[in-house]
Amino acid sequence: AAEQHATAPEDPTVLAELARLNTAYEAKFGFRFVLFMHGRTRATIIPVFHQRLTRARDEELTTGLEEFLAIAQDRLSKDRPPVGEVQR
């Protein structure tokens, strides 16, 4: 999605570390890493990956679902008119 693409040039070291962390995450939990980026750079999510890799699967599944819902809510809010405004 568009929110996954930063405007700054990407550091190959950061991209390699994220690829490694994604592989480790999927191997440990059996599902993909989900994070509501909301203005974060790829480099700033590396510590989040490290922290979340220490969790139990059930805890991480709950967090992943919460992050997924945050993404959905953000997308929905961008597609809806403000309260009280009629959509035409």
Side-chain angles (χ1 to χ4, degrees):
E3 65 271 10
Q4 294 174 345
H5 299 288
T7 55
E10 292 298 335
D11 179 345
T13 306
V14 169
L15 296 177
E17 178 67 357
L18 288 173
R20 186 189 71 72
L21 290 167
N22 263 312
T23 299
Y25 184 93
E26 288 185 34
K28 179 175 181 176
F29 296 115
F31 51 86
R32 293 185 177 221
F33 181 80
V34 179
L35 178 68
F36 179 38
M37 293 292 289
H38 194 64
R40 301 180 202 199
T41 65
R42 286 186 175 111
T44 64
I45 67 170
I46 290 173
V48 177
F49 251 117
H50 285 288
Q51 190 270 326
R52 286 176 56 182
L53 276 165
T54 67
R55 295 181 174 179
R57 187 178 192 279
D58 288 345
E59 182 182 12
E60 190 52 29
L61 183 59
T62 298
T63 299
L65 290 171
E66 290 168 351
E67 293 289 334
F68 182 80
L69 289 173
I71 293 165
Q73 287 175 327
D74 182 64
R75 289 181 181 175
L76 248 176
S77 71
K78 292 176 180 173
D79 290 339
R80 301 175 80 188
V83 175
E85 189 175 305
V86 177
Q87 189 173 15
R88 297 173 197 245

